Amino acid sequence: MNGTRHAGVVLEVEAAVALLPGSVGTVDDLVRGGPTALDAARNALSGARTVGLSEVRLEAPLHRFNRDILCTGWNYCDHFEESKGKREGQDPATRPARPTFFTKGPDTVIGPVDDIAYDAELSGQWDYEAEIALVIGRDGRSIPEEKAREHIFGYLVANDVSQRDLQRAHGGQWLKGKSIDATMPLGPWLTTADEVADPDDLRVQCRVNDVLLQNASSSQMAFSFARIIAELSQGMTLRAGDVILTGTPSGIGSARDPQVFLRDGDLVVTRVSGLGELRNRVVSTSLT
């Protein structure tokens, strides 16, 4: 059982989940349905069957994507600085004055406990990147920064697993090295914006084999959630259901000395305070 198929939403209450009736719809339906759909889901909680969280297998909360996952690069200053001189001649002249955007294919998305696909023949540089993802809940174009948070439905935990050699090998653009199938854990559930007291003070962490490699606060972002939405939406319509990754903090494997890259069998745990935890095993998979 899982929240996506049975209820459209998973609510954690004392290590239990409430399974809402199918008539409520999926999480994708709730995101696109606006306040009316969300109110209906909340009303359906009364009398809903609950089961222990350990009795369900959670899938990625979202399955129906409007387009590629929208992503923000270099959004923590320490992360930008740690890779200076390590980008194989692709360093920008200065720290970006505005957000850097790229996309990754939706087929990258896996669930919060699914295996991360790993193919050593495809790449030798599989890197971890803990991130906060936000989900747009209201269409908008050229959204003013002061109104941007009104367009956020909620937040998730993500890990933008990247293949650094592929990222560098295709003209300096990032699409290829960010879009390998079954490599981006997302979840464990979608936390609505009203449940996040202070999005600007969330702790972002990544552990590999129980070693803490990333540990930062969202307060260290160069560009806030609102600024990201405002800049990205300039002349470009953002639609309900769009997923936006907001950048990773310092500590990535490719910037370490010696470098630390993921290998078959590694356990990657990605955690954001208040949003939950992803636990994903890196598993050898033929992708070629």
Side-chain angles (χ1 to χ4, degrees), residues 98-110:
R98 301 175 72 173
T100 299
F101 297 122
F102 63 95
T103 69
K104 59 191 292 143
D107 287 335
T108 59
V109 175
I110 59 174

Side-chain angles (χ1 to χ4, degrees), residues 11-286:
L11 302 176
E12 183 183 13
V13 181
E14 298 179 350
V17 294
L19 303 179
L20 305 188
S23 59
V24 169
T26 66
V27 175
D28 295 283
D29 295 326
L30 296 183
V31 170
R32 290 165 175 80
T36 301
L38 189 55
D39 286 345
R42 287 171 170 153
N43 291 336
L45 278 174
S46 178
R49 185 166 67 95
T50 62
V51 296
L53 185 59
S54 62
E55 298 177 49
V56 301
R57 181 181 177 86
L58 299 176
E59 295 182 355
L62 302 171
H63 289 260
R64 193 168 79 240
F65 299 96
N66 300 325
R67 60 175 118 204
D68 276 7
I69 310 301
L70 304 168
C71 306
T72 313
W74 297 331
N75 198 27
Y76 289 76
C77 295
D78 287 350
H79 169 53
F80 178 82
E81 296 295 333
E82 73 177 344
S83 294
K84 271 189 174 179
K86 302 175 183 178
R87 299 186 178 103
E88 300 182 20
Q90 296 176 1
D91 278 300
T94 61
R95 185 183 298 172
R98 301 175 72 173
T100 299
F101 297 122
F102 63 95
T103 69
K104 59 191 292 143
D107 287 335
T108 59
V109 175
I110 59 174
V113 296
D114 291 341
D115 294 336
I116 296 170
Y118 170 81
D119 190 335
E121 293 187 13
L122 180 68
S123 167
Q125 298 183 350
W126 298 68
D127 209 345
Y128 51 85
E129 294 188 66
E131 306 207 15
I132 300 168
L134 63 86
V135 179
I136 296 296
R138 205 172 104 198
D139 295 359
R141 183 178 65 216
S142 298
I143 302 165
E145 187 171 346
E146 62 271 17
K147 293 185 177 295
R149 288 199 175 176
E150 297 174 13
H151 291 258
I152 300 176
F153 182 92
Y155 302 88
L156 309 110
V157 185
N159 199 309
D160 179 24
V161 174
S162 305
Q163 294 70 43
R164 299 301 183 190
D165 43 4
L166 295 183
Q167 186 177 340
R168 314 287 184 224
H170 295 273
Q173 55 77 34
W174 298 351
L175 174 67
K176 182 61 180 177
K178 299 280 191 173
S179 293
I180 302 305
D181 289 354
T183 54
M184 191 188 86
L186 186 68
W189 38 71
L190 177 52
T191 303
T192 54
D194 61 301
E195 294 292 334
V196 182
D198 187 1
D200 295 322
D201 190 23
L202 299 176
R203 179 62 47 180
V204 182
Q205 296 180 321
C206 182
R207 293 179 181 269
V208 178
N209 300 328
D210 207 30
V211 177
L212 183 63
L213 297 176
Q214 290 184 290
N215 184 21
S217 167
S218 57
S219 65
Q220 298 170 247
M221 284 183 174
F223 306 105
S224 67
F225 298 121
R227 176 77 181 277
I228 289 169
I229 292 171
E231 293 261 0
L232 188 57
S233 69
Q234 283 297 308
M236 170 182 161
T237 301
L238 297 181
R239 301 201 178 277
D242 283 343
V243 177
I244 304 175
L245 268 59
T246 60
T248 197
S250 62
I252 61 170
S254 60
R256 290 178 172 272
D257 186 15
Q259 292 179 316
V260 176
F261 291 120
L262 300 176
R263 295 289 183 261
D264 181 34
D266 286 347
L267 178 63
V268 182
V269 178
T270 314
R271 180 182 295 118
V272 177
S273 58
L275 302 185
E277 177 183 279
L278 313 172
R279 298 182 67 86
N280 304 92
R281 184 75 63 179
V282 178
V283 174
S284 184
T285 306
S286 177

